[in-house]
Amino acid sequence: MADGRLPILRPEGNVPESPRLHPGAGEEAAVPVLLTRREDATSWFESKVSGALGWARANSLFQYPFVTACCGMEYMSVMCGRYDLARFGAEFPRFTPRQADLLMIVGTINVKQSPVLLRVYEQMCEPKWVMAFGVCASSGGFYDNYATVQGADRVIPVDVYVPGCPPRPEQVLDGLKILQEKIQTQRHVLHSVERSPEMREDKKRSFLGKLLAK
Amino acid sequence: MAQALVDLLRDNFKEAVLSSHSHRGDEVAVVRRESVQEICRFLKDGEARMQLLRYIACVDLLTYDTEMTGGGALASNEVPAYDLAKKAPREPRFQLGYNVYSVVRKQSVRLRVELRSDDVKVPTVTSVWRTADWWERYLFDMFGIDFIGHPNLKRILMYPEFQGHPLRKDYPTRKRQPLVAELEFPDLIRGPGPGPGGAGVPMSQTHVGRKNVDPTTYD
Ligand code: SF4
């Protein structure tokens, strides 16, 4: 609020979501638990590695523009010379979801299209983030009718919403900065095995943890 | 202007043309549903030379007398609940409009066909104008008009799983038919809770002025 802007709401967000590493003012710090020295050292290293990975991931977002409607015009504007999203580390649109980290939903999502959007999202490799570009993708916008999905977050989880019909390029840049902040504060592990439930307890270590445990 | 066209129609189809009038310079001929095909054939191949079918449109007049002229529903920002028992349905309920144009004569004329709600069948004009194919599929999709003899009468805009016809006035305005299961997502403003929008209320019901909508017709 220091710069007069509304606080950024941080929802329980997208995969992979994790506790904040550096809680802000007003948020509770992580409850300290008993750690062995090795675990202490591991988590310290992990937090450093996570910070570096977050920095790298936040500044090399490869986007997949899922352009469906008139917001596409503004997308072109934001990618071109005057505003140039590439300056902020979202350089290159990839037109295959398999090579992208950031799914930009640019335009109206109607019901007939929602399976396609879901398929595109599922084809993206982890880690992945989603930006809803324009009010149509965020909430359905003024298409409050039988044909339109009332927000892309009904179909796939969305990380950042950029309102506006269409949003100004500055808003998109702002949304990208917010997303980068989110990525920076997420916990990134080199190799996560914690998600598969069938893993045995002693194997629940990250790659770095295994390396240090040797 | 195009009055000559209507006179031509009246001369050639004495029983088929029920009435005609002019609305702001547009000639309208109300024709019988059974003879729409031969009238169209006559208009295209005869001396009228109407080679271009601009569009076929449909109007549902179900709530025309109540909602449109009442004013009360328009002044309020609440979505009126569709209580058809309290509204006098209008018959014939559907009006089809065929807007045809002659490039040679630079004149257009509109044919109107009126359909009662218990019998929404009309002969196809696909054999006259090829472009009528998609217009008739569109009207079938949106209004459920049954075009007899159409070669491929199926939905053109909505997905095949869709139930009902969305532009009919008795289709619930806020009814949704999602194709993929909708996510349980947290409501950022009101916090998490049961139901799709958090706190037990669907997200789309949390908009201002829409609290009184019948939940069964809603989402
Ligand atoms: S938000 Fe506005 S500009 Fe963007 S797709 Fe929707 S209607 Fe078009």
Side-chain angles (χ1 to χ4, degrees), chain A residues 110-120 122 155, chain B residues 179-180:
Chain A
N110 54 36
V111 178
K112 203 174 178 179
Q113 213 169 22
S114 55
V116 180
L117 178 64
L118 187 62
R119 171 72 66 91
V120 165
E122 283 167 351
V155 183
Chain B
L179 267 186
V180 295

Side-chain angles (χ1 to χ4, degrees), chain A residues 200-214:
Chain A
R200 290 213 332 273
E201 196 58 35
D202 55 322
K203 291 241 178 100
K204 283 190 179 174
R205 283 258 173 76
S206 68
F207 173 70
L208 196 71
K210 275 194 209 149
L211 212 66
L212 284 177
K214 281 206 176 124

Side-chain angles (χ1 to χ4, degrees), chain B residues 47 49 80 99 102 134 164 166:
Chain B
E47 57 190 289
R49 316 257 317 260
N99 195 324
S102 168
W134 280 14

Side-chain angles (χ1 to χ4, degrees), chain A residues 69-71 106-108 133-137 142-143 164-167:
Chain A
C70 25
C71 267
V106 184
T108 323
F133 188 120
V135 285
C136 282
F142 55 79
Y143 299 112
C165 178

Side-chain angles (χ1 to χ4, degrees), chain A residues 11 111-112 144-145 154, chain B residues 157 159 174 176 182-183 210:
Chain A
V111 178
K112 203 174 178 179
D144 190 359
N145 60 19
R154 303 231 164 177
Chain B
L157 293 178
Y159 34 101
R174 310 183 60 83
R176 307 280 188 266
E182 295 201 338
L183 289 182
R210 287 183 184 155

Side-chain angles (χ1 to χ4, degrees), chain B residues 184-187 190-203:
Chain B
E184 301 264 326
F185 61 93
D187 187 326
R190 294 143 48 84
V201 185
M203 188 71 152

